[in-house]
Amino acid sequence: MGPSAPTDWLTIEHFRAPIEVNLIGLINVTLHLLPLVKMARGRLVNISSTGGRLAVWGGGYCPSKFGVEGFNDSLRRDMKAFGVKVSCIEPGLFKTGLSNRKKIIQERETIWKQLPPAIRKQYGEGYIQKDAAKKEKLTQIFQNTDLSLAVKCMEHALTSIHPHSRYTAGWDAKVLWIPLSNMPTAIQDFILLRNKTELADPTAG
C-alpha cells in the first residue's frame, strides 16, 4: 500500500513502491502470460480497488489502482477479438493486513518527524493524533469483515458463462465509493473534505 499521508509529506520513493508492485508488477505478469491466455481463449481477472475509482487519500496506492483500471480497460478491448474475457474486481475497505491502522499511523509518524518545521506548523503538532482518531472511526464504520464477498466475485469472473467487466465487493463500495465516483467532482470534494482534519495554519510557512 505504501504510506497513506498528505501529498506534500511524501517523496517520489513513497510513490514508487506501491506503483511498482500494484501496477508495473501486474502489467509484467499479464504480458508474460498473455500469449498462453490468447491461445486458450482464457480469462484475465485483475484486482483493482474502489481506490482506483475515487482517490480518498494521498500516497501511491490510489494512483497505482487508477493505473490498473486504465490498463484493464485497454486490455479488455484489445483481447475481445481473441475471445479472451477480461474482468476487474473493485473491493471496498476490508479488514486485512493492508488496513492495519497501527502500521499506517506508525508510517505517518515516521514521515512527520522528518518534515520541515514549516510544514509541521501548517498542520499543527496535534494533527497526527486528531487525524488518526477520525480515520479510526471511519474505518470502524465502513470496514467489511467478510472476505468471501471478494472471493465470490473472483469465482464468478473465472467460472461464469458471461463474466462482468467490473465487480464491486463490499457494501461500502456499493453504497458509497462507486456511486460517489460517478458524481460531479464538486460533490465528491464536498463530501470527502467534510471528513478532513482541520489544519492549524494552512498559510504558515
Side-chain angles (χ1 to χ4, degrees):
M1 181 170 177
S4 169
T7 304
D8 55 336
W9 295 17
L10 303 174
T11 68
I12 190 63
E13 294 306 320
H14 292 132
F15 285 86
R16 196 181 304 279
I19 291 173
E20 283 286 347
V21 173
N22 297 339
L23 179 57
I24 302 302
L26 180 147
I27 294 173
N28 191 30
V29 170
T30 302
L31 294 178
H32 277 83
L33 293 176
L34 203 51
L36 295 174
V37 176
K38 286 169 65 180
M39 285 175 58
R41 295 173 68 88
R43 299 185 182 194
L44 292 161
V45 182
N46 289 319
I47 311 298
S48 178
S49 166
T50 52
R53 297 283 295 274
L54 188 71
V56 180
W57 56 81
Y61 181 80
C62 288
S64 75
K65 293 300 186 178
F66 267 80
V68 169
E69 294 278 344
F71 175 70
N72 216 71
D73 283 348
S74 60
L75 181 67
R76 185 181 67 253
R77 294 169 188 133
D78 290 342
M79 292 298 103
K80 191 172 181 62
F82 299 99
V84 174
K85 294 180 171 64
V86 180
S87 298
C88 186
I89 299 175
E90 300 167 334
L93 180 61
F94 281 81
K95 188 176 183 180
T96 66
L98 197 67
S99 57
N100 185 330
R101 293 302 306 163
K102 184 177 180 181
K103 179 176 180 291
I104 292 170
I105 292 169
Q106 286 175 343
E107 287 177 335
R108 282 179 148 214
E109 288 177 343
T110 299
I111 295 170
W112 173 264
K113 292 173 183 176
Q114 299 171 351
L115 290 175
I119 293 181
R120 290 205 301 267
K121 183 179 178 182
Q122 289 171 344
Y123 283 86
E125 286 299 328
Y127 179 86
I128 286 271
Q129 292 76 17
K130 288 186 290 186
D131 191 58
K134 181 171 283 191
K135 284 185 169 54
E136 180 64 30
K137 184 177 180 181
L138 290 173
T139 299
Q140 290 175 355
I141 294 171
F142 294 117
Q143 194 173 67
N144 298 277
T145 57
D146 184 4
L147 296 178
S148 71
L149 297 174
V151 175
K152 288 176 181 175
C153 292
M154 298 175 194
E155 180 184 18
H156 190 277
L158 289 168
T159 63
S160 66
I161 296 175
H162 301 292
H164 305 319
S165 297
R166 281 188 168 83
Y167 292 83
T168 302
W171 73 268
D172 61 320
K174 294 179 185 298
V175 304
L176 179 59
W177 308 124
I178 298 301
L180 185 57
S181 74
N182 292 316
M183 293 182 185
T185 303
I187 295 176
Q188 294 178 9
D189 291 352
F190 175 76
I191 291 174
L192 294 176
L193 287 172
R194 284 175 63 87
N195 292 310
K196 288 284 186 181
T197 303
E198 291 185 9
L199 307 184
D201 185 2
T203 62

